[in-house]
Amino acid sequence: MSSVAERMRAVAAERRRDLGIVAALIVLALLYPTVVGSLQSLPLVGDFVPSVDSMVNMVVFTTMAVGLNIVVGYAGLLDLGYVAFYAAGAYTAGWLASSQFSQLDAHLGDVGFSTGTPGIHVSMWLVLVIAGIFTTVVGIAIGLPTLRLRGDYLAIMTLGFGEIIPQFVRNGDSIGGFNLTNGTFGISPIDSLGFGGIGDAIGLPDSFRQSAERSQWFFWTAVAILLVTVFCSVRLRDSRLGRAWVAIREDETAAGAMGIPLMRTKTWAYALGAFFGGVAGAFYASFKAGAFPADFFFNISVFLLTMVILGGMGSVWGVILGGMVLGYLNVEGLATIGSKIQDAGVNFDPTKYQFGIYGVIIVLMMLFRPAGLIPERRHKIELIEGVHDTPFYDVQREGTLTDRDASDD
């Protein structure tokens, strides 16, 4: 009983420590826009401090990585087409919050526009939710025919869907004479987030894009979306559905034999992962004021998958760390490092080898830290204590004695 009580106290202490760390990180994130100027003026390290706009990019891609972690990390479904959900969310924003359909005049809670402005202009806050729901439906539509497959076949199928969506939006400017996606030009401008007249009355910006503190408002909103995504991801992981995902990841055949509905459980993982990708895509489209086909190439799917691998598949905090590290390198880190190298007289530009560098990171991680920077607890225990299954070579050596029990020796 004493050991159980000690274990419970240790778990409670660990949770208090984690909550303290999370609270401190949230406070630091909220204060970042106000201190970034001072940090950038520091000697030696100031040039490496990312701007607030760069932080928005990093947080958005980290949010998508946390969503992908539900599919890849929790359920063990290798998804090489996650960019499709990012595109679906961004184009949902383009259709519902721009002048793309100029023949219409529909307004619902929009900010910064007067009645009579052509197009559909729905409040971007609503668009974020609608984009999430739409991509969930897309995820189910894609998942139903693909999730019957396993392993390499599933990865190839998702890769195919990831290629179909960008090709569709690139060539969707004349579908039976109807301009749905505006082709290679994309949809621009897309409406901004904002609090409208109600917010203006209490000191909040009417429109983020027209505010003098544009970057910080988008940054704080991106952090809020990431926090909601993390909260949902953690709660899902600890739920009955999350345990079913882990069971499928560990052994799909055994999970099915134990009564877990495989198709329904895997579809839930795909749909929920798609939801967060769609929300992040719609937000990013509002931040960039446009949705462009060039943003949705296959390399984005690989980039997001690299974030999950670097951080640790199945580990929420690891994926956040991996996403922020790779997001920083992608947005301005490699460029800053390259300028420092060239200032030292070496003619080398790492941005030319961007994806080669990410590939090297994956190889090094697989060789030296396969469970990621912050491994998931289950993976960490397996690495430290091993699993109880006997490897094949031991079967050859021990014959039928495969349980590693000392009494068998």
Side-chain angles (χ1 to χ4, degrees), residues 141-408:
I142 294 176
L144 286 177
T146 61
L147 295 178
R148 298 180 186 277
L149 305 174
R150 296 185 183 184
D152 299 342
Y153 300 105
L154 174 62
I156 293 170
M157 184 72 89
T158 57
L159 171 62
F161 277 109
E163 286 297 301
I164 289 171
I165 298 295
Q167 291 296 328
F168 173 76
V169 298
R170 195 173 295 115
N171 298 284
D173 55 347
S174 182
I175 302 174
F178 181 70
N179 182 5
L180 181 64
T181 64
N182 209 28
T184 56
F185 298 102
I187 299 176
S188 177
I190 292 177
D191 299 349
S192 171
L193 287 160
F195 297 105
I198 298 176
D200 199 25
I202 57 175
L204 299 174
D206 181 7
S207 166
F208 288 1
R209 197 172 298 151
Q210 298 171 3
S211 168
E213 295 84 22
R214 166 190 173 279
S215 298
Q216 72 179 30
W217 283 108
F218 273 110
F219 172 71
W220 286 332
T221 307
V223 171
I225 292 173
L226 175 61
L227 290 175
V228 172
T229 305
V230 169
F231 175 77
C232 295
S233 182
V234 171
R235 296 298 295 169
L236 284 168
R237 179 196 63 193
D238 297 337
S239 69
R240 181 176 180 179
L241 180 61
R243 292 193 292 274
W245 287 335
V246 172
I248 290 175
R249 181 190 70 191
E250 297 297 320
D251 192 328
E252 185 171 336
T253 303
M258 293 300 293
I260 294 176
L262 299 179
M263 273 299 297
R264 189 172 67 194
T265 307
K266 290 195 291 185
T267 303
W268 269 116
Y270 219 65
L272 291 170
F275 178 87
F276 297 113
V279 172
F283 172 81
Y284 197 52
S286 177
F287 173 67
K288 291 182 63 178
F292 307 103
D295 293 338
F296 310 121
F297 283 120
F298 168 67
N299 56 8
I300 299 298
S301 293
V302 176
F303 184 56
L304 294 172
L305 186 61
T306 307
M307 290 178 174
V308 176
I309 294 172
L310 176 64
M313 288 188 287
S315 167
V316 176
W317 309 118
V319 172
I320 293 174
L321 177 61
M324 295 300 286
V325 169
L326 287 181
Y328 171 71
L329 292 175
N330 183 58
V331 175
E332 65 175 66
L334 289 178
T336 305
I337 294 170
S339 66
K340 295 296 181 185
I341 293 174
Q342 291 173 359
D343 289 345
V346 179
N347 186 20
F348 175 71
D349 184 2
T351 58
K352 294 181 179 178
Y353 309 95
Q354 183 179 11
F355 283 92
I357 292 171
Y358 301 152
V360 171
I361 290 174
I362 290 179
V363 171
L364 293 177
M365 289 301 298
M366 290 297 101
L367 288 175
F368 300 108
R369 200 173 174 83
L373 295 174
I374 304 178
E376 184 202 20
R377 183 175 301 173
R378 179 184 295 271
H379 284 160
K380 187 176 180 180
I381 294 173
E382 288 176 357
L383 288 174
I384 295 174
E385 300 181 1
V387 294
H388 294 291
D389 295 334
T390 300
F392 180 65
Y393 59 83
D394 279 343
V395 175
Q396 286 186 318
R397 182 169 58 85
E398 299 177 6
T400 58
L401 306 177
T402 58
D403 59 358
R404 289 184 174 179
D405 191 329
S407 62
D408 294 333

Side-chain angles (χ1 to χ4, degrees), residues 88-109:
Y91 272 88
T92 302
W95 293 326
L96 299 181
S98 77
S99 299
Q100 169 64 13
F101 304 124
S102 57
Q103 64 274 28
L104 301 175
D105 181 11
H107 294 253
L108 178 63

